[in-house]
Amino acid sequence: MLYYIILTQVCGLKCIYCMNEPNPRVMPIHLEVDVEKIRRFISRDPEAVICFYGGDPSMRGDLVRLIMDRVPAKHYVIQTNGVMLHRLGDSYIRRFDTILLSIDGGREVTDYYRGRGVYDKVLDRARYVRSVGFRGDLVARMAVSSKTDIYREVTHLLFLDGLFSHVHWQLDVLWDYPPMQRYSDFDSWLERYNEGVSRLVRLWIREMENGNVLGIAPFKGLMWSMLTGERRRYLRCGSGIDAFAIATDGRILACPIAPEFRFNVVGHIDRDLPENLPGRAVVGEPCRSCSYFDLCGGRCLFTNKTMFWGEDGFHKVCRTVFHLIDELERIRPRVVELVREGIVSLGDIKYPPYTNSVEIIP
Ligand code: SF4
Ligand code: SF4
């Protein structure tokens, strides 16, 4: 299972869709759980994957190093804005299997959402991790909002000196109230977004004709399921099923982003065992009776439970999922042929290779 460990609520940036507001009433600002307790809890699981999470977990390099030294795991993962990543130490950087760096595309949108100079800083850190010998999966993790041209930003990151192995994105939707506050005309934006996804799908299959499987995480994850017949009747992010978060006070959360919601608190490190946690928080309607559920898996537990944008807003966002799946279904027969002809292999398409915190459905 995947275990997020929330090291701190603190982050050095103030991105417009997050605003970075650490709140000690929700949980302690920094991790207060004894690392030995974490070791005892996680070491029951021989398949453990640890993902450091925040805030920005790189702000607590001391805890990252301590946990990597004391708590065994099959894979180590970190989700970070990158600003402090170089302080972790080269030998620890090399031990990660996946590093997810937050960057929203080109300089213009990244700096607009995240602050001036952030784009250059993140690229500097991406080059740094490669220069010290990191050979793992370097994921460009984008937030996609009103200023994003999805085709432009994804292709920019994909072809950036081969730095990033994968590009993944999450839509800036459904997690705030009032709804759609960062969009002047959400419906038109959605249409443009869907058109951009179609262009990306066309690019993806064109490249595949030459034996090149571009690392577009949502496409790979979904296409793998389509090719293998995998029916994913649970969340692809794994929240509440095979992914849990340890909050700074030791509570166990199904999803790492929402310690303040009761539905999300599924246990405590002092009282529960990992093997007893799955199934305590699961997606409900409208996902369970949706005809796309087998492939979508429910998209997001948090938004399914909170419904901040109401049913109408929720269904609008589902249109992006329908569109993505339909577009990939359209090219599936050609992908099957390309695999059969040996131009690409199934292994090239499989993603993620283990639950690595990439949610797959944007
Ligand atoms: S498409 Fe929408 S309703 Fe259907 S499973 Fe996904 S999130 Fe749920
Ligand atoms: S997709 Fe939703 S439920 Fe899953 S980790 Fe992200 S916010 Fe949490």
Side-chain angles (χ1 to χ4, degrees):
M1 289 206 299
L2 169 66
Y3 302 86
Y4 293 93
I5 305 179
I6 303 175
L7 300 184
T8 178
Q9 292 190 55
V10 176
C11 171
L13 300 180
K14 212 169 178 57
C15 308
I16 62 169
Y17 29 69
C18 167
M19 293 319 287
N20 177 15
E21 289 162 339
N23 183 349
R25 287 191 301 277
V26 171
M27 64 176 176
I29 298 293
H30 298 284
L31 184 72
E32 290 185 354
V33 187
D34 183 27
V35 170
E36 176 53 24
K37 260 189 200 171
I38 295 177
R39 190 197 64 74
R40 277 203 302 271
F41 182 77
I42 291 182
S43 63
R44 296 181 62 85
D45 181 354
E47 300 296 317
V49 178
I50 290 177
C51 176
F52 297 106
Y53 196 85
D56 178 19
S58 302
M59 303 279 277
R60 291 304 309 267
D62 55 332
L63 289 172
V64 171
R65 289 185 291 270
L66 184 67
I67 291 169
M68 286 177 87
D69 287 342
R70 298 259 180 91
V71 186
K74 261 190 128 167
H75 304 283
Y76 295 99
V77 176
I78 187 166
Q79 285 199 20
T80 175
N81 64 33
V83 175
M84 302 287 279
L85 188 62
H86 57 305
R87 303 257 186 104
L88 293 186
D90 300 356
S91 62
Y92 289 90
I93 293 287
R94 283 190 289 271
R95 286 177 60 197
F96 284 113
D97 296 279
T98 302
I99 297 178
L100 300 107
L101 275 181
S102 300
I103 182 167
D104 295 337
R107 182 180 284 109
E108 194 185 326
V109 286
T110 299
D111 286 3
Y112 175 80
Y113 295 143
R114 295 185 168 266
R116 198 181 316 154
V118 171
Y119 172 86
D120 288 325
K121 206 166 266 178
V122 177
L123 283 199
D124 183 67
R125 303 303 184 256
R127 291 192 179 104
Y128 152 73
V129 301
R130 289 303 192 198
S131 75
V132 298
F134 172 73
R135 298 274 173 268
D137 188 7
L138 187 59
V139 181
R141 188 180 166 79
M142 301 164 54
V144 166
S145 193
S146 58
K147 292 273 189 288
T148 306
D149 173 332
I150 190 70
Y151 183 85
R152 182 184 62 195
E153 316 313 340
V154 170
T155 51
H156 175 82
L157 294 170
L158 277 175
F159 300 121
L160 203 61
D161 307 335
L163 270 180
F164 293 107
S165 346
H166 288 93
V167 178
H168 180 58
W169 65 93
Q170 280 292 290
L171 303 180
D172 174 23
V173 294
L174 301 179
W175 53 40
D176 55 344
Y177 192 87
M180 302 164 214
Q181 55 188 287
R182 284 181 288 283
Y183 299 86
S184 55
D185 179 352
F186 186 64
D187 288 4
S188 309
W189 182 86
L190 268 188
E191 290 307 316
R192 287 197 302 280
Y193 168 79
N194 279 344
E195 281 165 22
V197 167
S198 298
R199 273 185 83 192
L200 280 174
V201 170
R202 290 197 293 272
L203 171 73
W204 200 57
I205 190 72
R206 267 201 317 274
E207 287 289 317
M208 226 185 264
E209 298 279 355
N210 301 322
N212 183 23
V213 180
L214 294 176
I216 304 177
F219 295 2
K220 288 178 75 170
L222 280 165
M223 185 55 73
W224 165 264
S225 299
M226 290 173 183
L227 296 178
T228 58
E230 178 192 42
R231 287 291 163 254
R232 187 70 197 216
R233 294 192 65 80
Y234 62 93
L235 285 160
R236 287 177 178 271
C237 66
S239 288
I241 306 292
D242 61 3
F244 295 90
I246 300 172
T248 55
D249 53 8
R251 285 176 300 153
I252 311 288
L253 314 174
C255 154
I257 72 160
E260 66 271 46
F261 287 87
R262 193 173 292 173
F263 76 82
N264 195 32
V265 179
V266 294
H268 195 285
I269 197 169
D270 287 340
R271 295 185 288 279
D272 290 282
L273 301 173
E275 58 267 34
N276 297 334
L277 296 173
R280 291 185 184 179
V282 290
V283 283
E285 295 298 349
C287 296
R288 302 198 79 80
S289 49
C290 170
S291 58
Y292 287 75
F293 187 47
D294 278 352
L295 281 166
C296 171
R299 188 175 173 274
C300 171
L301 177 70
F302 175 77
T303 60
N304 177 273
K305 294 293 183 200
T306 54
M307 285 283 170
F308 281 157
W309 288 16
E311 278 193 27
D312 191 42
F314 189 91
H315 286 303
K316 280 185 184 187
V317 174
C318 291
R319 288 197 336 237
T320 67
V321 182
F322 303 159
H323 182 78
L324 170 64
I325 290 176
D326 291 348
E327 286 293 82
L328 291 170
E329 282 287 7
R330 201 175 47 72
I331 63 162
R332 176 168 61 140
R334 183 61 192 141
V335 179
V336 170
E337 285 172 7
L338 291 171
V339 171
R340 212 174 276 147
E341 291 162 14
I343 294 173
V344 296
S345 74
L346 261 183
D348 296 334
I349 293 166
K350 184 174 170 56
Y351 197 78
Y354 53 91
T355 309
N356 68 354
S357 86
V358 173
E359 302 94 334
I360 296 297
I361 305 291

